[in-house]
């Protein structure tokens, strides 16, 4: 399939479906037409076409109803590719369509109070009881859990083997009895994050993704896609936070200095290198699944966001943020709102989605081939690890 054929498909689709009619029905029809993720298989929102043709679809449908990336980011960027890679045919057909249309929002139950950067030490237990699993534990830093219908969940099912084994991956019903969501207030005053307590939560075995004990391998697929989703999303030249910085620079020439000008030029060059590296990464994805290179993009994304938002505040000489009221956030927004909010929110970029310190380890070992740090707990049964 080529660009002309894709454009023909889009034209035929628009001839049958009015973008100005019901938004949800339009999105459902788009999924059914294979124009959600064109590289996915037919019947699952795609056409089995080359991945790069998705850009053609997005351009042709730019003025039609769109999915909400801020609310659906975890479902689209993490849950969907994991379900596609490890789900049964029944799971794919049950979950992918409402996930893409936004009818069902997803969250991620990975990190725990004692298992953040070292996720493999997680202790949330899942014990089999016939055709069900009983889950007990606590998860933390869960974006959007307060409005999610489903979650991707990693648990410990065998404590007698080393930490990277004995883990099993599930789809968790966030409305199941025993699931409790509590807000975590952030530096901005908002609570887009949560902690989630799981007490005797019963999950049927048909909500398991992958084999029992193979949860780490499934989770690696999620994590690699997460880093690509955060750091490798397409951006236009001078877009993102850079757009706000340039706008302020043009509008307030009286605040410019020679030193600030030099620093802005350096940031522009870095931003362009990051943007072009992201384009190269997306081309690599055409040939296969994301690899450790996504860690580099996520690392660069965090550094650039923090540097640009800091520069923006220094240039404006005003935090410009005075709304510290506690409120529930319905959307994750890295770029919108005022400069003070962007500066404060960017502080979390080097923690969420993989800390910058851990990502540097991944890059050094898996991309550059440097020797790994000694890991004395690698072959120790999980139950014998000090806690």
């Amino acid at each position: 399939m080529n660009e002309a054929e894709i454009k023909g498909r889009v034209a035929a689709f628009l001839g049958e479906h009015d973008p100005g009619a019901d938004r949800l029905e339009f999105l459902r029809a788009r999924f059914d037409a294979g124009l959600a993720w064109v590289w996915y298989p037919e019947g699952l929102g795609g056409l089995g076409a080359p991945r790069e043709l998705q850009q053609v679809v997005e351009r042709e449908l730019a003025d039609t109803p769109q999915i909400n990336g801020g609310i659906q980011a975890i479902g689209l960027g993490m849950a969907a590719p994991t379900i596609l890679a490890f789900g049964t045919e029944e799971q794919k057909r049950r979950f992918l369509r409402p996930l893409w249309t936004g009818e069902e929002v997803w969250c991620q139950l990975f990190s725990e109070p004692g298992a953040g950067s070292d996720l493999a030490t997680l202790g949330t237990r899942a014990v089999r009881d016939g055709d069900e699993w009983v889950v007990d534990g606590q998860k933390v830093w869960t974006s959007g859990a307060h409005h999610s219908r489903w979650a991707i969940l990693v648990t410990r099912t065998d404590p007698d083997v080393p930490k990277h084994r004995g883990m099993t991956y599930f789809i968790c019903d966030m409305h199941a009895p025993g699931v409790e969501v509590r807000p975590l207030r952030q530096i901005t005053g908002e609570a887009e994050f949560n902690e989630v307590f799981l007490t005797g939560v019963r999950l049927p075995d048909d909500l398991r993704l992958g084999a029992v004990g193979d949860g780490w391998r499934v989770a690696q697929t999620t994590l690699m896609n997460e880093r690509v989703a955060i750091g490798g999303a397409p951006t236009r030249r001078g877009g993102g936070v850079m757009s706000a910085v340039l706008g302020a620079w043009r509008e307030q020439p009286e605040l410019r200095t020679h030193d600030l000008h030099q620093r802005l030029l350096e940031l522009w060059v870095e931003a362009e290198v990051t943007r072009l590296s992201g384009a190269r990464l997306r081309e690599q994805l055409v040939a296969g699944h994301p690899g450790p290179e996504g860690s580099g993009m996520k690392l660069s994304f965090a550094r650039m966001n923090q540097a640009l938002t800091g520069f923006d505040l220094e240039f404006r000489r005003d935090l410009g943020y005075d709304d510290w009221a506690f409120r529930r956030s319905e959307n994750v927004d890295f770029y919108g709102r005022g400069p003070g909010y962007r500066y404060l929110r960017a502080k979390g970029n080097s923690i969420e989605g993989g800390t910058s310190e851990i990502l540097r380890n991944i890059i050094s070992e898996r991309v550059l081939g440097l020797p790994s740090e000694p890991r004395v707990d690698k072959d120790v049964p999980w139950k014998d690890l000090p806690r």
Side-chain angles (χ1 to χ4, degrees), residues 42-245:
E42 291 190 43
L44 298 176
L47 298 169
R51 187 178 184 130
E52 65 266 24
L53 293 179
Q54 184 68 29
Q55 298 177 36
V56 179
V57 173
E58 300 303 336
R59 287 197 301 268
E60 296 295 307
L61 295 177
D63 296 324
T64 66
Q66 300 294 309
I67 55 181
N68 188 325
I71 294 177
Q72 297 169 239
I74 292 174
L76 296 169
M78 301 162 219
T82 307
I83 292 170
L84 182 66
F86 291 96
T88 63
E89 289 304 312
E90 182 179 352
Q91 288 170 335
K92 295 173 189 176
R93 296 190 182 280
R94 163 61 186 87
F95 292 113
L96 289 178
R97 187 176 190 249
L99 180 158
W100 189 83
T101 61
E103 294 170 81
E104 294 178 343
V105 177
W106 289 65
C107 63
Q108 181 182 13
L109 299 176
F110 275 35
S111 294
E112 299 181 6
S117 294
D118 189 2
L119 179 63
T121 59
L122 66 85
T124 293
R125 288 296 311 276
V127 179
R128 189 150 197 170
D129 182 17
D131 292 333
E132 293 183 318
W133 295 82
V134 182
V135 181
D136 290 276
Q138 180 187 356
K139 298 291 183 175
V140 76
W141 313 127
T142 306
S143 300
H146 52 293
H147 55 226
S148 292
R149 177 65 182 84
W150 299 98
I152 43 180
L153 166 68
V154 186
T155 68
R156 176 77 48 195
T157 49
D158 186 353
D160 297 319
V161 296
K163 63 182 183 179
H164 289 92
R165 289 151 43 197
M167 299 163 64
T168 303
Y169 196 117
F170 294 94
I171 294 170
C172 179
D173 181 356
M174 291 298 288
H175 292 176
V179 177
E180 180 186 1
V181 177
R182 300 180 190 174
L184 287 174
R185 189 173 183 177
Q186 296 156 237
I187 193 172
T188 60
E190 293 185 334
E192 72 189 51
F193 293 127
N194 304 269
E195 52 184 346
V196 179
F197 294 85
L198 306 164
T199 307
V201 178
R202 288 188 167 268
L203 301 177
D205 188 56
D206 60 13
L207 288 181
R208 173 169 47 84
L209 276 180
V212 175
D214 200 27
W216 182 250
R217 186 166 69 97
V218 183
Q220 286 297 100
T221 296
T222 303
L223 294 171
M224 287 189 291
N225 279 284
E226 177 183 33
R227 287 153 192 167
V228 171
I230 294 175
T235 57
R236 61 180 176 82
R237 190 180 187 192
V241 177
M242 179 61 79
S243 177
V245 172

Side-chain angles (χ1 to χ4, degrees), residues 187-340:
I187 193 172
T188 60
E190 293 185 334
E192 72 189 51
F193 293 127
N194 304 269
E195 52 184 346
V196 179
F197 294 85
L198 306 164
T199 307
V201 178
R202 288 188 167 268
L203 301 177
D205 188 56
D206 60 13
L207 288 181
R208 173 169 47 84
L209 276 180
V212 175
D214 200 27
W216 182 250
R217 186 166 69 97
V218 183
Q220 286 297 100
T221 296
T222 303
L223 294 171
M224 287 189 291
N225 279 284
E226 177 183 33
R227 287 153 192 167
V228 171
I230 294 175
T235 57
R236 61 180 176 82
R237 190 180 187 192
V241 177
M242 179 61 79
S243 177
V245 172
L246 294 177
W249 184 266
R250 295 187 185 104
E251 293 164 9
Q252 302 179 75
E254 72 279 4
L255 298 180
R256 301 174 190 170
T257 67
H258 175 74
D259 177 63
L260 287 173
H261 188 211
Q262 293 302 307
R263 287 168 54 196
L264 179 57
L265 290 175
E266 291 172 3
L267 288 171
W268 172 268
V269 171
E270 276 201 62
E272 274 298 281
V273 170
T274 299
R275 184 181 70 84
L276 295 173
S277 296
R280 182 176 64 180
L281 175 61
R282 289 189 295 277
E283 290 177 0
Q284 291 174 340
L285 291 178
V286 172
H289 298 290
E293 295 83 4
S295 297
M297 288 304 306
K298 197 280 175 177
L299 178 67
S300 181
F301 162 83
R303 184 189 176 285
M304 285 302 304
N305 252 19
Q306 292 175 351
L308 283 167
T309 56
F311 178 92
D312 197 19
L313 278 195
E314 186 176 346
F315 174 71
R316 296 172 190 263
R317 303 170 194 178
D318 180 17
L319 180 65
Y321 190 77
D322 57 5
D323 183 8
W324 309 99
F326 172 79
R327 59 192 178 279
R328 275 302 209 177
S329 173
E330 293 300 315
N331 201 3
V332 178
D333 187 358
F334 293 146
Y335 307 122
R337 301 168 55 176

